[in-house]
Amino acid sequence: MKKVKLGIYLEEDEYRQRFTCYFMNHYKDQIEIYIYTDMEQLLQAAGGTIDVALAEETDCWNREDIPLVQLVDETPLQTEEGVCLLYTSPSPRDA
């Protein structure tokens, strides 16, 4: 099986390391990971070194021949606080 060559550019070092460890622990037989410290390196590597790019920013991505997966921060879900009355006693319908 041919391994997919994944190029990663993430600014935050700890996040980059954790992300890379996760992929290597779960998909080491399926992917090769190339880590870049700036977007210019990733753009240059897209000329033949990688099959797929993964980055936080996409503004300067100009390669139509290489798919780019953009990582975005998750937005927390809005929650509603309040009181909810749950009636658990048997009802007449249960008889």
Side-chain angles (χ1 to χ4, degrees):
M1 170 198 266
K2 180 186 173 212
K3 291 185 176 184
V4 173
K5 297 175 183 175
L6 175 64
I8 298 177
Y9 166 64
L10 300 171
E11 289 184 10
E12 187 180 327
D13 188 51
E14 181 181 346
Y15 183 58
R16 182 175 52 241
Q17 289 176 2
R18 290 176 62 204
F19 194 84
T20 303
C21 285
Y22 174 82
F23 268 93
M24 292 311 295
N25 286 333
H26 292 86
Y27 303 104
K28 66 182 172 193
D29 296 333
Q30 300 164 356
I31 62 172
E32 290 178 21
I33 295 181
Y34 297 84
I35 299 171
Y36 301 96
T37 56
D38 65 40
M39 189 58 130
E40 284 302 315
Q41 290 177 333
L42 181 60
L43 282 166
Q44 290 174 1
T49 307
I50 61 173
D51 299 319
V52 177
L54 187 136
E56 294 172 305
E57 63 181 62
T58 60
D59 294 342
C60 62
W61 189 254
N62 59 6
R63 302 296 307 235
E64 293 184 16
D65 57 331
I66 305 290
L68 174 68
V69 177
Q70 181 181 14
L71 291 177
V72 294
D73 291 334
E74 291 184 26
T75 304
L77 297 175
Q78 293 182 346
T79 60
E80 226 179 271
E81 292 186 26
V83 177
C84 176
L85 178 61
L86 179 61
Y87 188 75
T88 58
S89 298
S91 74
R93 293 182 302 229
D94 295 336

